[in-house]
Amino acid sequence: MGDQSRMTLFLIPLRWCRGVLLAALLLATPAWSADILLTAVQDSAGVQAFTQALAQQRPEDQITFTPLKDLPAPSRLPASTRLILLDLPGLDWRLQDAQGPPTLVLRISRLQARQRLGDTHPAKISLLWSDPPLERQLHLIASILPQAHRIGVLYGADSEFLLRELMQFAKPMGLEIVPQRWNNTNDSRALQTLFKNSDVLLGLDDPKLYNPKTAKNLLLSSYAQQLPLVGPNAGFVRAGSLASTYSDQPDWLAVLDRLLDHAPANWPHTLYPEHFKVVGNPQVARSLGIEQVDEAAVAARLAEGEKRP
């Protein structure tokens, strides 16, 4: 009986120690964590800064960056990995293998996706669009240029597929889309024709039409005709267009943070960033006799409008 009592006394502290150890392990280990792998062709300072910012935002996850050249085939990565591609070569690599892990493709334009995927959409790949949403850009025009109703749109072979969607968004807003194909960017006649029939020009994110070589002709023609150009992106606003919506690094980090909180099975096939900002060019506004864009106020109005059903 004495031996049994001593054994019982021995087991009590042993069980207590095990309980304390288990509790310590539970406190030290996040209730849920993920292995998140970022990759790109170049390991640049910008890429490292983005990776570090994501790691600081999600300290419970294991977040690493590996250059694309150092990765195996996608199917050889652990199925539990959550893969984030930061450039187009990464997408080309990922598309070679249908058995790869769940993948988020960051900052890819609608045109770039169509050139690589056509109308198909591979399983386990989510595309996060870089170009401003067309509907958001139309609401931007309605907010800063309420008198403009005829929206001129230059398009090419690559961007023609966006016109139907653009017209669908414009119709309930009481706006008219005036499309003009621009096959030869060295010929300004298409521009002149469009300017005569438009109140404002909305730029599509088509790099064959909007690039450093065409910028001078586009912007000088816009000034000459006193016709504002909205978009196609924040970079073009700095070059001389009137305004655009855009999403910056904090906005993208917010998108990733929300998505990574969910199981990959619940990730959308495609997504525009919910968070965004507005950028305007005060000098352009003055030269066109237009009121300067209040960037914060306009962005707030647009965001509020998108929250309403």
Side-chain angles (χ1 to χ4, degrees), residues 292-303:
Q292 182 175 333
V293 177
D294 186 334
E295 299 171 347
V298 172
R301 284 201 303 271
L302 297 182

Side-chain angles (χ1 to χ4, degrees), residues 256-276:
L256 287 179
D257 193 38
R258 180 167 61 86
L259 291 176
L260 292 169
D261 277 341
H262 295 82
N266 296 324
W267 290 351
H269 289 310
T270 64
L271 183 68
Y272 277 111
E274 175 185 355
H275 302 279
F276 65 93

Side-chain angles (χ1 to χ4, degrees), residues 139-147 230 242-243 290-291 293 298 301:
H139 281 290
L140 173 63
I141 290 175
S143 179
I144 64 176
L145 299 167
Q147 75 282 3
V230 172
L242 176 63
I290 297 172
E291 183 179 352
V293 177
V298 172
R301 284 201 303 271

Side-chain angles (χ1 to χ4, degrees), residues 114-170:
R114 188 175 180 86
Q115 289 168 350
R116 284 164 170 77
L117 303 173
D119 294 323
T120 65
H121 196 101
K124 297 194 293 185
I125 294 181
S126 297
L127 306 174
L128 308 185
W129 302 127
S130 63
D131 42 331
L134 298 177
E135 186 175 19
R136 186 177 291 164
Q137 295 288 77
L138 287 175
H139 281 290
L140 173 63
I141 290 175
S143 179
I144 64 176
L145 299 167
Q147 75 282 3
H149 297 286
R150 299 176 301 166
I151 315 299
V153 178
L154 292 167
Y155 71 93
D158 293 338
S159 51
E160 184 175 6
F161 76 100
L162 295 172
L163 290 179
R164 179 178 296 181
E165 180 180 327
L166 191 58
M167 291 177 181
Q168 289 174 345
F169 289 137

Side-chain angles (χ1 to χ4, degrees), residues 188-202:
S188 297
R189 286 177 295 179
L191 287 179
Q192 303 308 320
T193 298
L194 184 62
F195 288 166
K196 290 177 182 177
N197 299 302
S198 306
D199 302 320
V200 60
L201 184 63
L202 172 61

Side-chain angles (χ1 to χ4, degrees), residues 111 114 155-161 181-183 206 208-209:
L111 270 68
R114 188 175 180 86
Y155 71 93
D158 293 338
S159 51
E160 184 175 6
F161 76 100
R181 193 176 183 106
W182 198 17
N183 291 322
D206 183 341
K208 289 185 178 178
L209 303 183

